[in-house]
Amino acid sequence: MAVSWARLCEGAMEFVYLLTLACVGGIINHMRGEDGGMLQGVGFTGTCDNCFGYWVDHFYDRAVMGLPTGAILSVLTKKTKMASIAGAIMFASIFVGWGCYMGLGWEPNTQARSGVFDWFLGREMAGWDFGRRWARMCAGMSLRGMMWTLPAGYYLFECGYGWRFALSGHMMGLVYTLGFRTPAVPVAPDWDRQPGQDWAFDAGTPFSEFLWGSWLWLALLSVVLANPRPHPPRARVVWFEVIAAAECLVLVGSSIFYSTVVQHDQENFQQSLWGTVIPTAALLLLQIRAARACFGAPSSPSRPLISYNAINTIVVDHTASQDDAASDASDLEAAVPVQPRWWASLWDQGLPEPYGTTVNIVGLLSLLATLLTTCLSIITLFWNWGSPRYCTWEYAPDCMQRQ
C-alpha cells in the first residue's frame, strides 16, 4: 500500500498539536499548584480578613484547572451538559488534599495530616526505610489520582467514550515519582526569580504538577478526539465495571473514615471531606443507574439483541426479545469480523489516527498503573497493619505538634 506523505505529515502535526494542548494542561495545573501562578488568588483575597477569603481563594485556585478542563471538553464534544457534569465532578475532587502522600518517600513525612486513604494505608512512622515510605505514598497518590478521574471518567464511559480516562488517574503516583527524580531543567542565569516563585521544571513538586496536568489532558483529549461520534449503547466491559465497583467501595470507606478525623484546621478538613464525598456520591449514583439499566429494564421485542458500534465492539441489548437472538447474531457474524470481546475492549481497532494509537497506549499504561496500585495497596495494607490511622497525640505526636 502506497504511503501518502501528505497524510503522514498531517498525522504528525496532529500529534504535535495534541501534545501541545496536553502541555497547556500541565502549565495550568502548575498554576493551580502555585496558587494561580501569575493569577494568584491572594491578589483578590489576601487583604480581606473577614470576607471568606479562604474559600474564595481555594475555589479560585481549583477553578484555574477545573474550568479550562470543562471548557475544552465542551468545545471538542459540543456537549455542554456532559462537559459541565464531568467538569464539576473533577472540580470537586481537586479539593481533596494529597500533601500527606506527595513526597513519594524521598524525605520522612511523619508530621502530615491524616490522609483520606490512611484507613487502610496507615500513617507513616519514624524509622521507616525508603521502600516502605514509597510504597505507601505511591499507592496513596495513585488512589488520589483515581479519585480525580474515575467518577468523571465513569460518566464519560456511560456517554460512550470508553474506560481509558477513568483509569488514567492511577498514573499519578508514577508521574509524581518521575517528577521527583527527573533532574531540574536549568533556568536562565539572569532570571530574577522572586522569593517563593517556582520554575515549572524544578525537580520535585513543580515538575510533578506540570507532568500530571499534561498526562491528565493527554488522556482526556485523546479519548475525546478518538471518539468523534460516540455511541452510548455499548457492551458492558465487565472487568472495568468490577474495578470501578471495587474502587467505589474504597472511596465510600474513605468518606466514612475521613468524616471521623479530628483536625484543628477546619477549613482544610471541610474541603477534603466534601471533595471526597461529592465524587464518591456521583460515582455511586452512576453505578446504581448503570446496574438498573442493565438488569432491571423490561424486555421489548422491537429492539435488536445485538448490534455494533463504530469500533466493532459488540453491544448487547438485554432488553430485546430472546427470540431474535439467533438470527441477529448469525447475520452480524457473517457481516462483520468479530474480535474476542476482552481483546477488543483493550485495544480498539478502527479509531482515527493518530488519536487511536495514542488512546490505546494511554489505556494500556493506565491499566498497568491500576494493577500496580492494587498490588501496592494490598502490600501496604498488610505491611502497615499495626500503624496508627489517625493523627493523634497518643499515636502521632509529631503530627499534632504541626497542627
Side-chain angles (χ1 to χ4, degrees), residues 106 176 178-182 184 200-210:
W106 308 121
Y176 269 73
L178 178 63
F180 271 82
R181 298 306 294 170
T182 302
F201 298 102
D202 281 338
T205 302
F207 192 40
S208 298
E209 289 169 342
F210 172 79

Side-chain angles (χ1 to χ4, degrees), residues 332-363:
L332 288 168
E333 288 174 1
V336 182
V338 182
Q339 292 178 316
R341 190 174 304 175
W342 64 271
W343 177 250
S345 66
L346 294 180
W347 190 278
D348 286 340
Q349 301 289 337
L351 298 177
E353 296 295 350
Y355 311 120
T357 300
T358 304
V359 76
N360 282 321
I361 293 175
V362 165

